[in-house]
Amino acid sequence: MPDNADEPSDGIDLDPVALEVLRNQLEGVADEMGEVLVRGAYSPNIKERRDCSTALFDADGRLVAQAEHIPVHLGAMPAAVDAVLDLDPAPGDAFVLNDPYAGGTHLPDVTMVSAIDRDGEILGYAASRAHHADVGGTAPGSMPAGATEITQEGVRIPPVRLVDAGDPVDDVLELFLANVRHPEQRRADLRAQRAANERGAERLEALAAEHGIRRLRAAFDAVIDYSRERTAAEIAALPDGEYRASDALEGDGVTEDPVEIAVTVTVDGDALTVDFAGTDEQVAGNVNAPLAVARSAVYFAVRCATDPDVPPNEGCYEPVSISAPEGSVLNPDPPAAVVGGNVETSQRVVDVVFAALSDAAPDRVPAGGQGTMNNLTIGAGGREGFTYYETIGGGAGGRSASDGLDGVQVGMTNTLNTPIEALETEYPLRVERYALRSDSGGAGEHRGGLGLVRSVRVLDDATVSLLTERRRTAPKGVAGGEDGVPGRNLIDGEPVPAKVTRDVSAGTTVAVETPGGGGYGDPDERASEAIERDADDGLVDERDGPSESADESE
């Protein structure tokens, strides 16, 4: 019979079997929340691409379980819960926020945090984050390439009650909807987020009834301790020392001047410190990234370089310390624009942390992946308007034991693509080409993955925004592997900058050629059968290395 006493968890020890059962039950709750959100959402951006994340927190705001959705969402979600805790939530309350300076990442990512009510006390928190296709601002899709302050990127929502003790606060919702394009779509997607959080509450309450409050709280402590111990042990297995790296973004959307990101990673026993001293000051354009975004990127890279199978929760993060100078591009002061920081700067942070760790964990760190999300937004305002948003996959870097994957999301996102049938049904767009970009991966003993070509014809007058990277600088090969091929953006066949917003007329074609990944190891060591297979499949030509341009793939 479960112990239902509402007391601390002291004195309850969970054996390994009980711990594993409860851990999987908690993670199952987070997974089910994600399924409810995807199935209940209206916009293709959530229901098709799955650009959303869900997680569970205990009553103290500690992350205890998360669905394996979007890395840049999940590492930053604790900041959103912390911001809500500062407002003294009551049982049954739900808060909504998107402010990057108060728990958010960038404005299109709207987070809902619900305080789970059990007998008048907070049992824990259910949280969901979803990328809404539009939240206002100067351009449809709320991702204008030339933004210089956050007000141009959309409506900014500090943590505010959307549900008060179980009752909806309609005026807050209406205020938000009055400042966005296509408000009924936003309303429907927020309903899906609330439903997801309510499902999390139902399932967590059921676990409390099954196991008892004390045992459930003991499970919260135990899963966090378990992840902390495993992460610390993985870090302790790395050689002590300081590891440095730097890389640069290709402009900020206002100028094309490089924006440097520098890092020093220090391994000292079972602790790891990541310091971004030397990173450039915040810039005029929108590649500034809130510190929570930088943290997400670091956590992702460290998990990849240690053991990705460690259960993702608060314990994974505790052995890792992260700092960035105030007023830098990784810790900007408001009202700096940040929409590109979440999607592009986060990718470069992953690249530099991987580069720094490559000496400490050479067998775990891949060659450079495409290093960008290739953000494409096409939209129009007005009653008959639309907003299409897509992140487009590319090449993953070659690894010590295998080739890089072709045409996948790399780094801080793992969204799906929008199926062509759904895209053409929902929007006045026609996909004219969608294919692997042959010969774009770097040569190596294990070649880099191939990029993609996605060409879309716009059937109505619209505004196009592109936020991309790796158009001038190639994804790096390692251990003798060659670099991948940089990407290209074209409007009606003419190259355009990596970051651009442009009005286009009906009939315009927008093509995005995404970068290939870098190769791993000496190309002369590549197995002959692998070379023949790649040539037979049309992935590469007869040469050992990548071509100067992938134009022939067109």
Side-chain angles (χ1 to χ4, degrees), residues 295-494:
R295 288 194 180 116
S296 292
V298 170
Y299 295 145
F300 170 82
V302 171
R303 280 174 58 77
C304 290
T306 53
D307 184 356
D309 291 329
V310 175
N313 58 48
E314 186 89 8
C316 295
Y317 307 151
E318 292 183 2
V320 182
S321 300
I322 302 163
S323 63
E326 291 187 9
S328 71
V329 74
L330 297 182
N331 191 6
D333 296 322
V338 298
V339 72
N342 184 66
V343 290
E344 294 302 295
T345 307
S346 65
Q347 298 283 70
R348 197 62 67 252
V349 172
V350 170
D351 288 346
V352 298
V353 175
F354 270 156
L357 288 172
S358 61
D359 289 336
D363 293 337
R364 300 300 299 272
V365 175
Q370 68 163 342
T372 176
M373 295 189 197
N374 302 297
N375 302 270
L376 171 62
T377 308
I378 306 174
R383 295 179 61 86
E384 303 301 322
F386 69 99
T387 304
Y388 156 75
Y389 172 65
E390 188 96 61
T391 55
I392 304 174
R399 294 163 285 176
S400 61
S402 62
D403 294 343
L405 298 175
D406 304 319
V408 295
Q409 300 289 357
V410 172
M412 294 309 289
T413 186
N414 59 357
T415 53
L416 303 179
N417 64 184
T418 305
I420 292 173
E421 297 85 354
L423 186 157
E424 294 185 343
T425 298
E426 185 74 22
Y427 308 113
L429 304 172
R430 179 180 300 127
V431 177
E432 300 200 330
R433 182 171 175 79
Y434 190 31
L436 290 174
R437 190 182 179 206
S438 65
D439 210 34
S440 57
E445 180 180 3
H446 303 292
R447 67 166 176 82
L450 302 185
L452 292 171
V453 178
R454 191 160 173 95
S455 179
V456 178
R457 184 174 296 277
V458 183
L459 303 181
D460 290 345
D461 294 349
T463 300
V464 173
S465 292
L466 287 155
L467 289 175
T468 63
E469 277 285 320
R470 295 298 190 209
R471 268 49 185 174
R472 301 198 306 262
T473 59
K476 298 297 183 184
V478 300
E482 297 184 5
D483 295 348
V485 173
R488 294 198 307 171
N489 303 330
L490 303 103
I491 295 180
D492 280 340
E494 294 297 322

Side-chain angles (χ1 to χ4, degrees), residues 186-401:
R186 306 290 78 74
R187 187 192 302 273
D189 288 342
L190 283 170
R191 285 175 176 167
Q193 286 187 253
R194 185 177 176 189
N197 287 14
E198 289 175 348
R199 180 63 61 85
E202 293 169 6
R203 293 294 186 253
L204 195 63
E205 290 167 16
L207 289 180
E210 177 183 353
H211 299 288
I213 291 289
R214 293 180 63 208
R215 191 171 180 82
L216 185 61
R217 287 175 174 162
F220 294 160
D221 293 337
V223 296
I224 290 171
D225 290 344
Y226 176 67
S227 291
R228 180 195 307 110
E229 291 166 4
R230 283 189 59 181
T231 301
E234 289 287 334
I235 293 171
L238 300 174
D240 284 357
E242 289 189 351
Y243 305 93
R244 293 181 171 84
S246 64
D247 203 340
L249 296 162
E250 299 171 339
D252 65 353
V254 175
T255 76
E256 294 191 6
D257 296 338
V259 181
E260 184 172 6
I261 297 174
V263 70
T264 300
V265 177
T266 303
V267 180
D268 184 7
D270 61 1
L272 188 144
T273 301
V274 180
D275 184 4
F276 289 101
T279 293
D280 280 351
E281 294 182 358
Q282 68 187 67
V283 293
N286 65 17
V287 298
N288 303 292
L291 186 56
V293 170
R295 288 194 180 116
S296 292
V298 170
Y299 295 145
F300 170 82
V302 171
R303 280 174 58 77
C304 290
T306 53
D307 184 356
D309 291 329
V310 175
N313 58 48
E314 186 89 8
C316 295
Y317 307 151
E318 292 183 2
V320 182
S321 300
I322 302 163
S323 63
E326 291 187 9
S328 71
V329 74
L330 297 182
N331 191 6
D333 296 322
V338 298
V339 72
N342 184 66
V343 290
E344 294 302 295
T345 307
S346 65
Q347 298 283 70
R348 197 62 67 252
V349 172
V350 170
D351 288 346
V352 298
V353 175
F354 270 156
L357 288 172
S358 61
D359 289 336
D363 293 337
R364 300 300 299 272
V365 175
Q370 68 163 342
T372 176
M373 295 189 197
N374 302 297
N375 302 270
L376 171 62
T377 308
I378 306 174
R383 295 179 61 86
E384 303 301 322
F386 69 99
T387 304
Y388 156 75
Y389 172 65
E390 188 96 61
T391 55
I392 304 174
R399 294 163 285 176
S400 61

